[in-house]
Amino acid sequence: MKNKSFLVNSVSVRKRIVVLFFIFIILPFIFLAYYSYNQSVKGISDANASFSLDFLIQSKKNFEDYLKDLNEQMNTLIGTKKLQDLVIAKPKGPAEEEAYAAELEDFIYEKKPIVDAYRIRVYPLLTVPYFAYIHHFYYGNDISNENWFTEVKKTGRPSWYLFMPADNADLYPFPIISYVKRFTGLYDNVPRGLIIADLSEDNIYRYMSTPQRLNGQETFLLDIHGVIISHPVKSKIGTILESPELISLIDLSGEGTEIIKLGKTKFLATFVKLEQQPWTMVSTIPLSEMTKSISKISNVTYYFILGYILSCIIMILYITNFFTNPIVHLVRSMRKMDSNNVAMPLQYLKRQDEIGLLYRGFDQMRSKNYDLIEEVHKSVKTKKELEFQVLSHQINPHFLYNTLESIRWKAEQSHMKEISEMVSALGNLLRLSLNQGQELTTVSRELEHLRAYIHIEKARLDKPFRIMIQVDEDTLKLPLLRLIFQPLIENAIHHGIRDNPETGKIILTGKLEGNNLYFELIDNGKGIPPHIIEGLNNPPMDGMQAKNTNGGVGLSNVNKRLKLYFGEAYGLQIICEEGKGTKIIIKHPVLPENYEG
């Protein structure tokens, strides 16, 4: 019933209307709005990316030209004879050191205008003879222990270094990018000193500032490790860019654009690598700033879609309440009528439209069929009871039992032991068959009845045959429909192994599986003819029961009684090949030990 309910609900008119509204009306509007918004954002992003990339390429060219000119300006300063003479002079005594420091400082101050930098510094490679000069110029620190000094002095390779106020607040009051270069003598190529050009933020940022800057737009300089070496926000200089994906993309490409996330904000990032220096120019623009121009259109579209969805929902509710709900109630009434619950009130009978017409027609049908259904139920119940009595009381010679007891007593008086045993077995057979008028017995009593029958058959046929019974002990006390085993054993003896009793064998096994009892009857006889199996599976339509050739209760009788008493799920299953024996499986439900149903 649950599966049936699911099937009805899954194809209900209500759900179909909701799905159709969603697929053909709501979904296209949502898709169109989403597609339009994305295309607008993409167009604006592409335009800004193109503009930013062109600007960075031009800024890169200008900045590299500036760095090239700065290098040439430093070379010009290095080539002056006076500087060469000063760095090789060795003052003697404090007085000469003071004079030397003043002369070198005056020279640097005089030549500073020819170098476009925040500051120019010159240090001799041998720092000991120039203690006063270096002490004055480096604010009391020993420059010979600085890593940048020893590295450039040793390798001679020009290098860039980022100095922060934490390194020396007096020398670096704000972040400084310094270009450190070793120079030699003009004629002997002997290393003489280091010349340093200190660039401030203003020296660099003038080449990266955009003429029209959006709110939140930032242009900055990165080194190869992702460290920010120039940024309009001073606190970010010296930190690592919080976007590993952009750093990875810069490693793979010389220039490009990428949507990145810094913190909780998305940015359009454009980058260009410098060719002569290990730096990358990066420009970031918040996506929210780029899409600000279409935000009003997006808001109008959003509210329009929201209103449209609400209107659709109201329409669906209206259709549901006035059209589909009555149909659902009618379907429920029909389902309850299927389960014999026809005495139920109906709504919507007074409606004058098609829904009311359907309800009135169904109510008339329900009223006419109510009495017929009750009558049919009573007729079926009476028919089953009568048919079961006919099937289960074919052998009901109660008076024979007392007569057989008298015969057995006379046989014992006449010392006829075999006759006495046969009569005693037959008496037990009849007694167990009667079962005190009850339709249910137990597995144990049914096996006792079967053994009495086997004893009689062995004596009557006067032929040896083997019958093995292997039934689990936990099944012996369970209720069982009577006269189940005897007809099947009788069929196996007379139609299976009777013609070949020496090699014939019958095995009866029984076990408990879940909520069912399973018994298997196996013989190695000649098998059951196909027409008998066909008659068992397709009984006659007139309800007449099938009988075996000896007039006893046959296979069809047992199968039909099991189905009548317990339902179509129970009965016999026959597996047989003619000439190779038969296997019969009996399926019987597990009933409580005191069951009397």
Side-chain angles (χ1 to χ4, degrees):
M1 196 66 183
K2 184 177 180 181
N3 293 335
K4 187 175 180 182
S5 173
F6 174 77
L7 180 62
V8 172
N9 290 332
S10 65
V11 295
S12 65
V13 177
R14 180 191 306 175
K15 289 190 176 181
R16 290 182 180 180
I17 291 176
V18 173
V19 171
L20 290 176
F21 262 91
F22 183 77
I23 292 177
F24 294 105
I25 298 178
I26 298 177
L27 194 60
F29 270 89
I30 295 176
F31 173 77
L32 180 62
Y34 177 77
Y35 179 78
S36 300
Y37 178 78
N38 277 355
Q39 289 300 311
S40 300
V41 172
K42 183 177 183 300
I44 295 174
S45 299
D46 291 345
N48 278 276
S50 178
F51 172 78
S52 297
L53 190 60
D54 292 342
F55 169 75
L56 287 183
I57 291 174
Q58 184 61 43
S59 298
K60 163 195 164 185
K61 180 179 181 303
N62 295 337
F63 188 53
E64 287 185 330
D65 290 343
Y66 163 70
L67 295 179
K68 181 180 179 182
D69 291 341
L70 177 64
N71 187 60
E72 291 177 355
Q73 293 165 4
M74 295 174 68
N75 289 337
T76 301
L77 185 60
I78 292 170
T80 59
K81 184 177 184 304
K82 186 173 182 180
L83 178 63
Q84 292 285 334
D85 293 339
L86 286 172
V87 295
I88 62 174
K90 295 182 180 180
K92 299 177 180 179
E96 290 187 11
E97 282 189 39
E98 291 291 339
Y100 173 83
E103 186 178 3
L104 185 54
E105 187 174 355
D106 289 341
F107 173 80
I108 294 173
Y109 182 78
E110 178 186 347
K111 298 297 182 180
K112 181 182 181 302
I114 69 173
V115 181
D116 187 5
Y118 164 71
R119 181 172 57 200
I120 294 295
R121 289 182 285 159
V122 177
Y123 296 112
L125 290 182
L126 299 176
T127 60
V128 175
Y130 313 100
F131 176 79
Y133 168 74
I134 293 176
H135 183 275
H136 171 73
F137 227 100
Y138 208 63
Y139 296 94
N141 294 326
D142 186 3
I143 196 173
S144 62
N145 294 326
E146 297 289 340
N147 292 332
W148 60 270
F149 185 89
T150 56
E151 182 179 356
V152 178
K153 176 182 176 181
K154 180 179 179 181
T155 62
R157 184 171 56 248
S159 299
W160 289 90
Y161 295 94
L162 173 63
F163 295 102
M164 303 296 292
D167 298 324
N168 190 328
D170 294 327
L171 187 60
Y172 311 114
F174 44 80
I176 295 292
I177 301 177
S178 298
Y179 182 50
V180 184
K181 185 175 182 180
R182 191 184 74 178
F183 63 91
T184 61
L186 292 178
Y187 307 108
D188 54 10
N189 203 29
V190 175
R192 299 297 187 188
L194 298 182
I195 184 170
I196 304 169
D198 294 329
L199 305 184
S200 66
E201 186 67 31
D202 294 335
N203 290 104
I204 299 175
Y205 202 68
R206 59 184 172 177
Y207 296 99
M208 296 190 296
S209 61
T210 57
Q212 294 180 346
R213 183 169 172 267
L214 294 176
N215 186 27
Q217 182 178 1
E218 296 176 345
T219 306
F220 50 91
L221 202 62
L222 293 178
D223 67 5
I224 58 175
H225 303 294
V227 177
I228 300 174
I229 59 177
S230 176
H231 198 285
V233 180
K234 300 296 187 292
S235 60
K236 293 185 178 181
I237 298 176
T239 62
I240 297 178
L241 182 67
E242 297 177 356
S243 180
E245 62 273 18
L246 180 59
I247 296 174
S248 300
L249 186 62
I250 292 174
D251 291 338
L252 298 175
S253 177
E255 61 183 47
T257 59
E258 181 72 12
I259 301 295
I260 64 172
K261 192 172 184 181
L262 298 176
K264 297 182 179 180
T265 307
K266 286 187 177 181
F267 291 84
L268 173 66
T270 309
F271 64 91
V272 174
K273 279 186 178 180
L274 275 66
E275 296 178 1
Q276 302 299 327
Q277 303 296 336
W279 296 336
T280 303
M281 283 186 176
V282 182
S283 175
T284 58
I285 307 174
L287 288 181
S288 59
E289 287 297 320
M290 294 190 299
T291 59
K292 186 182 293 184
S293 58
I294 62 172
S295 60
K296 292 184 179 180
I297 299 176
S298 300
N299 291 335
V300 171
T301 305
Y302 171 77
Y303 288 119
F304 175 77
I305 292 176
L306 183 60
Y308 190 79
I309 292 175
L310 291 175
S311 301
C312 292
I313 292 174
I314 293 173
M315 184 179 296
I316 291 173
L317 292 176
Y318 174 80
I319 294 174
T320 299
N321 290 331
F322 286 91
F323 295 99
T324 60
N325 276 349
I327 295 175
V328 170
H329 290 152
L330 185 60
V331 170
R332 289 176 180 172
S333 300
M334 295 173 66
R335 287 165 50 202
K336 290 182 179 180
M337 185 174 177
D338 287 342
S339 54
N340 297 333
N341 187 10
V342 295
M344 50 176 290
L346 292 177
Q347 303 176 12
Y348 308 106
L349 290 175
K350 296 182 179 181
R351 287 182 58 161
Q352 299 303 316
D353 56 4
E354 290 81 358
I355 300 294
L357 182 61
L358 284 174
Y359 267 82
R360 287 189 291 274
F362 175 74
D363 188 59
Q364 292 175 2
M365 180 187 67
R366 180 185 63 84
S367 299
K368 291 179 181 179
N369 290 341
Y370 180 75
D371 294 335
L372 292 176
I373 292 173
E374 290 295 321
E375 184 178 348
V376 169
H377 282 180
K378 292 179 181 179
S379 300
V380 170
K381 183 178 180 181
T382 303
K383 180 182 176 182
K384 286 187 176 182
E385 289 177 353
L386 293 175
E387 189 174 11
F388 185 79
Q389 290 178 5
V390 172
L391 289 172
S392 61
H393 290 85
Q394 293 184 30
I395 302 176
N396 195 20
H398 193 275
F399 72 95
L400 289 178
Y401 178 69
N402 293 329
T403 304
L404 289 173
E405 281 295 313
S406 299
I407 296 173
R408 183 187 63 80
W409 179 77
K410 289 185 179 183
E412 288 182 354
Q413 291 293 323
S414 301
H415 303 289
M416 297 179 180
K417 184 176 180 181
E418 292 183 0
I419 296 175
S420 174
E421 290 178 353
M422 284 188 65
V423 172
S424 176
L426 182 58
N428 287 336
L429 182 67
L430 291 176
R431 176 176 57 81
L432 294 170
S433 297
L434 294 174
N435 196 38
Q436 297 179 352
Q438 300 295 321
E439 301 301 335
L440 292 177
T441 181
T442 63
V443 176
S444 177
R445 287 176 61 84
E446 186 68 6
L447 292 176
E448 183 182 353
H449 174 269
L450 178 61
R451 292 188 180 95
Y453 169 75
I454 293 171
H455 182 79
I456 294 172
E457 281 293 341
K458 285 184 177 181
R460 188 167 69 88
L461 297 177
D462 197 22
K463 292 181 180 180
F465 55 83
R466 290 174 293 174
I467 298 180
M468 300 175 60
I469 300 176
Q470 299 176 345
V471 178
D472 293 349
E473 291 187 4
D474 55 355
T475 66
L476 296 178
K477 294 183 180 181
L478 296 177
L480 186 73
L481 192 65
R482 67 189 180 98
L483 294 179
I484 294 295
F485 298 146
Q486 183 270 330
L488 304 182
I489 293 292
E490 180 180 358
N491 184 79
I493 293 174
H494 290 280
H495 301 285
I497 66 171
R498 182 173 183 176
D499 296 335
N500 193 13
E502 291 81 7
T503 60
K505 181 170 62 174
I506 300 173
I507 301 175
L508 175 65
T509 61
K511 59 183 177 179
L512 176 65
E513 288 187 5
N515 294 324
N516 294 308
L517 288 169
Y518 289 92
F519 299 95
E520 290 187 1
L521 182 64
I522 303 173
D523 69 66
N524 60 351
K526 59 185 180 181
I528 300 176
H531 70 275
I532 295 180
I533 298 177
E534 179 65 23
L536 177 67
N537 296 328
N538 300 290
M541 296 299 294
D542 57 3
M544 295 300 292
Q545 58 186 348
K547 298 194 177 190
N548 62 16
T549 57
N550 289 336
V553 180
L555 297 176
S556 180
N557 186 300
V558 176
N559 185 59
K560 194 169 184 181
R561 286 199 298 123
L562 286 169
K563 291 183 179 297
L564 283 173
Y565 207 88
F566 302 115
E568 291 296 325
Y570 300 93
L572 303 183
Q573 179 186 358
I574 300 178
I575 303 172
C576 175
E577 277 189 58
E578 194 168 357
K580 294 186 179 180
T582 304
K583 178 179 180 180
I584 301 176
I585 301 174
I586 307 168
K587 184 179 179 183
H588 187 289
V590 174
L591 303 173
E593 293 187 11
N594 298 323
Y595 182 77
E596 296 180 356

